[in-house]
């Protein structure tokens, strides 16, 4: 949501304070690793959204997640690029009738039960790789 709502400045790799997205993620990664030293940790980037303009900004946040996770040798699955669900008719593929919620006859950007089931199998594949 940070990329969508611009709640947190992106910052840069090496930031370690809560003033930037990079810094917050750095704090989170270190905290998880210290608190759960034996845990197998998987980060998952957000998926593409129907508002294509926000996707341009989202690439920066997705890449930030991948960079910070790589810094700590944590797995980060880039679902933004690899999910294979294109929500709300992005790039000419209309899967919203299958995977997206409808409210009062209008499609929303969130997945429905079938969409969540589909995504759960994708996430399960990533967990098995840990």
């Amino acid at each position: 949501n940070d990329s969508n709502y611009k709640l947190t400045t992106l910052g840069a790799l090496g930031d370690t304070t809560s003033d930037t997205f990079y810094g917050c993620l750095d704090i989170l990664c270190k905290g998880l690793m210290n608190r759960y030293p034996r845990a197998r940790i998987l980060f998952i980037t957000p998926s593409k959204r129907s508002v294509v303009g926000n996707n341009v900004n989202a690439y920066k946040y997705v890449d930030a997640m991948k960079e910070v996770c790589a810094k700590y040798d944590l797995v980060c699955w880039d679902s933004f690029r690899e999910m294979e669900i294109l929500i709300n008719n992005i790039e000419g593929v209309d899967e919203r009738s299958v995977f997206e919620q409808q409210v009062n006859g209008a499609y929303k950007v969130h997945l429905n039960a079938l969409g969540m089931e589909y995504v759960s199998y994708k996430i399960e594949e990533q967990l098995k790789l840990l």
Side-chain angles (χ1 to χ4, degrees), residues 110-125:
H110 298 283
L111 297 174
N112 60 22
L114 185 60
M116 293 301 287
E117 182 179 357
Y118 175 83
V119 169
S120 74
Y121 295 125
K122 295 290 187 179
I123 293 171
E124 181 182 19
E125 290 171 9

Side-chain angles (χ1 to χ4, degrees), residues 64-130:
M65 289 180 69
K66 292 170 64 175
E67 290 174 21
V68 174
C69 287
K71 175 181 173 181
Y72 292 106
D73 251 352
L74 296 173
V75 178
C76 183
W77 178 46
D78 188 351
S79 72
F80 190 82
R81 293 178 179 97
E82 299 173 15
M83 177 67 76
E84 299 173 11
I85 278 187
L86 301 173
I87 299 173
N88 203 357
N89 204 23
I90 295 174
E91 300 172 19
V93 176
D94 187 1
E95 294 178 341
R96 60 187 172 168
S97 62
V98 177
F99 294 123
E100 200 170 289
Q101 288 182 16
Q102 267 193 355
V103 177
N104 297 328
Y107 289 107
K108 299 298 177 187
V109 186
H110 298 283
L111 297 174
N112 60 22
L114 185 60
M116 293 301 287
E117 182 179 357
Y118 175 83
V119 169
S120 74
Y121 295 125
K122 295 290 187 179
I123 293 171
E124 181 182 19
E125 290 171 9
Q126 297 303 312
L127 290 171
K128 287 178 179 178
L129 296 174
L130 290 179

Side-chain angles (χ1 to χ4, degrees), residues 29-41 72 74:
C29 289
K30 285 188 283 194
L32 288 171
M33 292 174 69
N34 286 328
R35 187 166 185 157
Y36 308 103
R38 293 190 202 162
R40 295 178 289 170
I41 299 170
Y72 292 106
L74 296 173

Side-chain angles (χ1 to χ4, degrees), residues 1 4 46-55 58 80 86-88 90 108-111:
N1 286 339
N4 197 22
S47 58
K48 284 186 181 175
R49 308 304 288 206
S50 62
V51 183
V52 177
N54 290 338
N55 288 329
F80 190 82
L86 301 173
I87 299 173
N88 203 357
I90 295 174
K108 299 298 177 187
V109 186
H110 298 283
L111 297 174

Side-chain angles (χ1 to χ4, degrees), residues 11-17 20 22-23 26 30 67-68 71-72:
L13 187 62
D15 290 352
T16 57
T17 67
T20 66
Y22 272 97
D26 191 88
K30 285 188 283 194
E67 290 174 21
V68 174
K71 175 181 173 181
Y72 292 106

